[in-house]
PDB file of all heavy atoms in Angstrom:
ATOM      1  N   VAL A 131     -57.921 212.505 121.230  1.00  0.00           N
ATOM      2  CA  VAL A 131     -57.475 213.752 121.861  1.00  0.00           C
ATOM      3  C   VAL A 131     -58.725 214.607 122.049  1.00  0.00           C
ATOM      4  O   VAL A 131     -59.460 214.867 121.083  1.00  0.00           O
ATOM      5  CB  VAL A 131     -56.460 214.508 120.959  1.00  0.00           C
ATOM      6  CG1 VAL A 131     -56.055 215.824 121.590  1.00  0.00           C
ATOM      7  CG2 VAL A 131     -55.227 213.645 120.695  1.00  0.00           C
ATOM      8  N   ALA A 132     -58.983 215.010 123.299  1.00  0.00           N
ATOM      9  CA  ALA A 132     -60.214 215.756 123.571  1.00  0.00           C
ATOM     10  C   ALA A 132     -60.165 217.155 122.959  1.00  0.00           C
ATOM     11  O   ALA A 132     -59.116 217.814 122.970  1.00  0.00           O
ATOM     12  CB  ALA A 132     -60.415 215.872 125.077  1.00  0.00           C
ATOM     13  N   ALA A 133     -61.306 217.589 122.433  1.00  0.00           N
ATOM     14  CA  ALA A 133     -61.434 218.975 121.974  1.00  0.00           C
ATOM     15  C   ALA A 133     -61.320 219.911 123.177  1.00  0.00           C
ATOM     16  O   ALA A 133     -61.621 219.522 124.307  1.00  0.00           O
ATOM     17  CB  ALA A 133     -62.786 219.167 121.299  1.00  0.00           C
ATOM     18  N   ILE A 134     -60.858 221.130 122.936  1.00  0.00           N
ATOM     19  CA  ILE A 134     -60.686 222.117 124.018  1.00  0.00           C
ATOM     20  C   ILE A 134     -61.527 223.347 123.648  1.00  0.00           C
ATOM     21  O   ILE A 134     -61.152 224.099 122.744  1.00  0.00           O
ATOM     22  CB  ILE A 134     -59.192 222.504 124.169  1.00  0.00           C
ATOM     23  CG1 ILE A 134     -58.351 221.265 124.485  1.00  0.00           C
ATOM     24  CG2 ILE A 134     -59.006 223.579 125.229  1.00  0.00           C
ATOM     25  CD1 ILE A 134     -56.843 221.485 124.497  1.00  0.00           C
ATOM     26  N   PRO A 135     -62.667 223.534 124.318  1.00  0.00           N
ATOM     27  CA  PRO A 135     -63.562 224.637 123.944  1.00  0.00           C
ATOM     28  C   PRO A 135     -62.859 226.004 123.897  1.00  0.00           C
ATOM     29  O   PRO A 135     -63.170 226.833 123.039  1.00  0.00           O
ATOM     30  CB  PRO A 135     -64.660 224.604 125.016  1.00  0.00           C
ATOM     31  CG  PRO A 135     -64.676 223.166 125.466  1.00  0.00           C
ATOM     32  CD  PRO A 135     -63.258 222.681 125.377  1.00  0.00           C
ATOM     33  N   ASP A 136     -61.888 226.227 124.802  1.00  0.00           N
ATOM     34  CA  ASP A 136     -61.181 227.522 124.793  1.00  0.00           C
ATOM     35  C   ASP A 136     -60.436 227.753 123.475  1.00  0.00           C
ATOM     36  O   ASP A 136     -60.229 228.886 123.052  1.00  0.00           O
ATOM     37  CB  ASP A 136     -60.166 227.603 125.942  1.00  0.00           C
ATOM     38  CG  ASP A 136     -60.842 227.914 127.269  1.00  0.00           C
ATOM     39  OD1 ASP A 136     -62.053 228.212 127.257  1.00  0.00           O
ATOM     40  OD2 ASP A 136     -60.160 227.835 128.308  1.00  0.00           O
ATOM     41  N   LEU A 137     -60.008 226.647 122.868  1.00  0.00           N
ATOM     42  CA  LEU A 137     -59.311 226.795 121.580  1.00  0.00           C
ATOM     43  C   LEU A 137     -60.273 227.243 120.490  1.00  0.00           C
ATOM     44  O   LEU A 137     -59.877 227.939 119.550  1.00  0.00           O
ATOM     45  CB  LEU A 137     -58.656 225.475 121.168  1.00  0.00           C
ATOM     46  CG  LEU A 137     -57.268 225.180 121.708  1.00  0.00           C
ATOM     47  CD1 LEU A 137     -56.786 223.829 121.176  1.00  0.00           C
ATOM     48  CD2 LEU A 137     -56.285 226.279 121.309  1.00  0.00           C
ATOM     49  N   ALA A 138     -61.542 226.825 120.610  1.00  0.00           N
ATOM     50  CA  ALA A 138     -62.548 227.281 119.639  1.00  0.00           C
ATOM     51  C   ALA A 138     -62.730 228.794 119.782  1.00  0.00           C
ATOM     52  O   ALA A 138     -62.782 229.536 118.784  1.00  0.00           O
ATOM     53  CB  ALA A 138     -63.866 226.558 119.858  1.00  0.00           C
ATOM     54  N   ALA A 139     -62.805 229.247 121.042  1.00  0.00           N
ATOM     55  CA  ALA A 139     -62.981 230.691 121.284  1.00  0.00           C
ATOM     56  C   ALA A 139     -61.777 231.471 120.755  1.00  0.00           C
ATOM     57  O   ALA A 139     -61.914 232.520 120.101  1.00  0.00           O
ATOM     58  CB  ALA A 139     -63.170 230.945 122.780  1.00  0.00           C
ATOM     59  N   ARG A 140     -60.569 230.955 121.017  1.00  0.00           N
ATOM     60  CA  ARG A 140     -59.385 231.664 120.524  1.00  0.00           C
ATOM     61  C   ARG A 140     -59.321 231.621 118.988  1.00  0.00           C
ATOM     62  O   ARG A 140     -58.919 232.588 118.354  1.00  0.00           O
ATOM     63  CB  ARG A 140     -58.107 231.055 121.120  1.00  0.00           C
ATOM     64  CG  ARG A 140     -56.922 231.983 120.938  1.00  0.00           C
ATOM     65  CD  ARG A 140     -55.623 231.339 121.312  1.00  0.00           C
ATOM     66  NE  ARG A 140     -55.318 230.193 120.463  1.00  0.00           N
ATOM     67  CZ  ARG A 140     -54.222 229.456 120.589  1.00  0.00           C
ATOM     68  NH1 ARG A 140     -53.361 229.729 121.522  1.00  0.00           N
ATOM     69  NH2 ARG A 140     -54.006 228.437 119.790  1.00  0.00           N
ATOM     70  N   GLY A 141     -59.736 230.482 118.419  1.00  0.00           N
ATOM     71  CA  GLY A 141     -59.754 230.372 116.960  1.00  0.00           C
ATOM     72  C   GLY A 141     -60.619 231.463 116.344  1.00  0.00           C
ATOM     73  O   GLY A 141     -60.269 232.059 115.318  1.00  0.00           O
ATOM     74  N   LYS A 142     -61.758 231.751 116.991  1.00  0.00           N
ATOM     75  CA  LYS A 142     -62.646 232.824 116.492  1.00  0.00           C
ATOM     76  C   LYS A 142     -61.937 234.169 116.527  1.00  0.00           C
ATOM     77  O   LYS A 142     -62.069 234.993 115.621  1.00  0.00           O
ATOM     78  CB  LYS A 142     -63.923 232.904 117.332  1.00  0.00           C
ATOM     79  CG  LYS A 142     -64.885 231.804 117.017  1.00  0.00           C
ATOM     80  CD  LYS A 142     -66.177 231.988 117.785  1.00  0.00           C
ATOM     81  CE  LYS A 142     -67.106 230.823 117.475  1.00  0.00           C
ATOM     82  NZ  LYS A 142     -68.362 230.878 118.189  1.00  0.00           N
ATOM     83  N   GLN A 143     -61.182 234.392 117.605  1.00  0.00           N
ATOM     84  CA  GLN A 143     -60.427 235.663 117.708  1.00  0.00           C
ATOM     85  C   GLN A 143     -59.374 235.741 116.606  1.00  0.00           C
ATOM     86  O   GLN A 143     -59.159 236.799 116.016  1.00  0.00           O
ATOM     87  CB  GLN A 143     -59.731 235.761 119.068  1.00  0.00           C
ATOM     88  CG  GLN A 143     -60.685 235.980 120.220  1.00  0.00           C
ATOM     89  CD  GLN A 143     -59.960 236.001 121.575  1.00  0.00           C
ATOM     90  OE1 GLN A 143     -58.758 235.776 121.663  1.00  0.00           O
ATOM     91  NE2 GLN A 143     -60.705 236.252 122.631  1.00  0.00           N
ATOM     92  N   VAL A 144     -58.723 234.613 116.351  1.00  0.00           N
ATOM     93  CA  VAL A 144     -57.692 234.587 115.306  1.00  0.00           C
ATOM     94  C   VAL A 144     -58.320 234.923 113.955  1.00  0.00           C
ATOM     95  O   VAL A 144     -57.767 235.718 113.178  1.00  0.00           O
ATOM     96  CB  VAL A 144     -57.009 233.195 115.260  1.00  0.00           C
ATOM     97  CG1 VAL A 144     -56.136 233.044 114.025  1.00  0.00           C
ATOM     98  CG2 VAL A 144     -56.179 232.964 116.516  1.00  0.00           C
ATOM     99  N   VAL A 145     -59.482 234.340 113.674  1.00  0.00           N
ATOM    100  CA  VAL A 145     -60.132 234.596 112.383  1.00  0.00           C
ATOM    101  C   VAL A 145     -60.537 236.076 112.274  1.00  0.00           C
ATOM    102  O   VAL A 145     -60.370 236.694 111.219  1.00  0.00           O
ATOM    103  CB  VAL A 145     -61.360 233.666 112.182  1.00  0.00           C
ATOM    104  CG1 VAL A 145     -62.154 234.082 110.954  1.00  0.00           C
ATOM    105  CG2 VAL A 145     -60.897 232.217 112.049  1.00  0.00           C
TER     106      VAL A 145
END
Side-chain angles (χ1 to χ4, degrees):
V131 177
I134 301 173
D136 281 352
L137 274 180
R140 196 189 63 180
K142 284 185 182 178
Q143 289 177 356
V144 169
V145 171

